[in-house]
Amino acid sequence: MTRSVDVSNASPLGAGSGEALATPFPEPSPISTDPGKGGKVRIGDRLFRWASEGAGILVIALIGAIGFFLVWRAIPALARNEENFFLYGGNWVTTDTSAMHFGILDLLQVTVFVSVFALLLAMPVALGIAIYLTQYAHKRVSGPLAYMVDLLAAVPSIIYGVWGLYVLAPVIKPFAVWLNENLSWLFLFQTGTASVAGGGTIFTAGIVLAVMILPIITAVTREVFVQTPRGQIEAALALGATRWEVVRTTVLPFGMSGYISGAMLGLGRALGETIALLIILRGTQQAFGWSLFDGGYTFASLIASAASEFNDQYKAGAYIAAGLVLFILTFVVNSLARAAVAGKGKS
């Protein structure tokens, strides 16, 4: 097949040389990606699109409704609070509803401290499990092992709490006592507000909480690591890289955003944990001192322990105000996670 050419505008200087000016091909028209243009849209597509948009709007509406409810119920109690809600860390006194005393300083510190401690314990273990399952383990081993790790998420919180207090605490007691006796010069291991031998400390609660969030971080990280392009892995192996070098130069850079995302999901799970921490952590009348051997309440455990006071709108409003702060805190954590993932994706 020959292509027609236009020789009407050919230069006389080029005559006889076999050169000619080709007629340019017309530019193809852009293809629209909007399903509503360029053709008839099926009724099923429209229904699916409306259902998807409705589901998204419904989620936003539910979140807004929850936030509005928390603010609406918290304002009357906050108006009768005699203390600075954000700076008061003493005991909650809500008996006299005309002059209540409550604040979130200690609650915020204990919640963040135990959750971050659990996250620091769980993240390296989850990363190691994910690397092993995706890069080292045989298929016959990786499947059952991944299934066993995922099963940890199915264990009820109350079981974790009872196990942590009556099984784990006696086992780690000698190690906790050794840390308290030999490293008490560091504020993390100083004698706190709870008994080290009794086990009702942030140290025990953080270990239990790390086990609880381990399946979430591992599952997300594992699924991202599996998606590493096979061509990149084979190229690294062909250049003589060891298996660890492949992991370090290919798998980890590709899946780091997923690892961070899974860690933030685990942190959000830890911030809201209730029953297990209510069973393990011992309540205290003393101020929080940033020691792993302190006791205390988190937002969720304090609200659960005071459920009997919810028959009064002002007493309930005080705890709902604390729940509002926890609600906002989880939003902040999720926003930071999305920002970190987005920044990693751009880099």
Coordinates of all heavy atoms in Angstrom, one line a residue, residues 23 42 55 75 103 127 136 163 172 194 219 259 261 273 295 299 303 327:
T23 N 1.4 15.0 3.0 CA 0.2 15.6 3.5 C 0.1 15.2 5.0 O 0.0 14.0 5.3 CB -1.0 15.2 2.7 OG1 -0.8 15.6 1.4 CG2 -2.3 15.9 3.3
R42 N -26.8 3.7 30.0 CA -27.8 2.7 30.4 C -28.4 3.1 31.7 O -27.7 3.7 32.6 CB -27.1 1.3 30.5 CG -26.6 0.8 29.2 CD -25.9 -0.5 29.4 NE -25.4 -1.1 28.1 CZ -24.7 -2.2 28.0 NH1 -24.5 -2.9 29.1 NH2 -24.3 -2.6 26.8
A55 N -24.3 6.9 48.7 CA -23.5 6.3 49.8 C -22.5 7.3 50.3 O -22.3 7.4 51.5 CB -22.9 5.0 49.3
I75 N -22.4 20.9 75.3 CA -22.5 22.4 75.6 C -23.1 22.6 77.0 O -22.5 23.4 77.8 CB -23.2 23.2 74.5 CG1 -22.2 23.2 73.3 CG2 -23.5 24.6 75.0 CD1 -22.9 24.0 72.1
G103 N -12.1 17.7 83.4 CA -11.2 18.2 82.3 C -10.5 16.9 81.7 O -10.6 15.8 82.2
L127 N 5.9 -5.1 60.3 CA 6.8 -5.0 59.1 C 7.6 -6.3 58.9 O 7.6 -6.8 57.7 CB 7.7 -3.8 59.3 CG 8.7 -3.6 58.2 CD1 7.9 -3.2 56.9 CD2 9.7 -2.4 58.5
Y136 N 9.9 -14.1 51.7 CA 10.7 -15.3 52.1 C 9.9 -16.6 52.3 O 10.5 -17.6 52.0 CB 11.4 -14.9 53.5 CG 12.5 -13.9 53.4 CD1 12.2 -12.5 53.6 CD2 13.8 -14.2 53.0 CE1 13.2 -11.5 53.5 CE2 14.8 -13.2 52.9 CZ 14.4 -11.9 53.2 OH 15.4 -11.0 53.0
W163 N -6.9 -11.8 79.5 CA -5.6 -12.5 79.2 C -4.5 -11.6 79.6 O -3.5 -12.1 80.2 CB -5.5 -12.8 77.7 CG -4.1 -13.3 77.3 CD1 -3.6 -14.5 77.5 CD2 -3.2 -12.5 76.6 NE1 -2.3 -14.5 77.0 CE2 -2.0 -13.3 76.4 CE3 -3.1 -11.2 76.2 CZ2 -0.9 -12.9 75.8 CZ3 -2.0 -10.7 75.5 CH2 -0.9 -11.5 75.3
I172 N 5.3 -11.1 82.6 CA 6.3 -10.0 82.3 C 6.6 -9.3 83.7 O 7.4 -8.3 83.6 CB 5.7 -9.0 81.3 CG1 4.4 -8.3 81.9 CG2 5.4 -9.7 80.0 CD1 3.9 -7.2 81.0
A194 N 0.7 3.1 89.7 CA 0.1 1.8 89.8 C 1.2 0.8 90.3 O 2.4 1.1 90.1 CB -0.5 1.4 88.5
A219 N -1.9 -6.8 57.9 CA -2.7 -7.0 56.7 C -2.6 -6.0 55.7 O -2.4 -6.3 54.5 CB -4.2 -7.2 57.2
Y259 N 2.5 1.0 54.4 CA 2.9 0.7 55.8 C 2.5 1.8 56.7 O 2.0 1.5 57.8 CB 4.4 0.4 55.8 CG 5.0 0.2 57.1 CD1 4.5 -0.8 57.9 CD2 6.1 0.9 57.6 CE1 5.1 -1.1 59.2 CE2 6.7 0.7 58.8 CZ 6.2 -0.3 59.6 OH 6.8 -0.6 60.8
S261 N 0.1 4.0 56.2 CA -1.3 4.0 56.3 C -1.8 2.9 57.3 O -2.7 3.2 58.1 CB -1.9 3.8 54.9 OG -3.3 3.7 55.0
E273 N -9.8 2.0 71.8 CA -10.0 0.7 72.6 C -10.6 1.0 74.0 O -10.1 1.9 74.7 CB -8.7 0.0 72.7 CG -8.7 -1.3 73.5 CD -9.9 -2.2 73.0 OE1 -10.1 -2.3 71.8 OE2 -10.5 -2.8 73.9
G295 N -0.9 4.2 86.2 CA -2.2 3.8 85.8 C -3.0 4.9 85.2 O -2.4 5.9 84.7
F299 N -9.7 8.0 77.3 CA -11.1 8.6 77.0 C -12.1 7.5 77.1 O -13.2 7.6 77.7 CB -11.1 9.3 75.7 CG -10.4 10.6 75.6 CD1 -9.2 10.8 75.0 CD2 -11.0 11.7 76.2 CE1 -8.6 12.0 75.0 CE2 -10.4 13.0 76.2 CZ -9.2 13.1 75.5
I303 N -15.2 6.8 79.9 CA -16.6 6.9 79.5 C -17.4 5.6 79.8 O -18.5 5.6 80.3 CB -16.7 7.2 78.0 CG1 -16.2 8.6 77.8 CG2 -18.2 7.1 77.5 CD1 -16.1 9.0 76.3
F327 N -13.3 12.0 69.4 CA -13.9 12.1 68.0 C -13.0 12.9 67.1 O -12.6 12.6 66.0 CB -15.3 12.6 68.0 CG -16.0 12.6 66.7 CD1 -16.4 11.4 66.1 CD2 -16.3 13.8 66.1 CE1 -17.1 11.4 64.9 CE2 -16.9 13.8 64.9 CZ -17.3 12.7 64.3

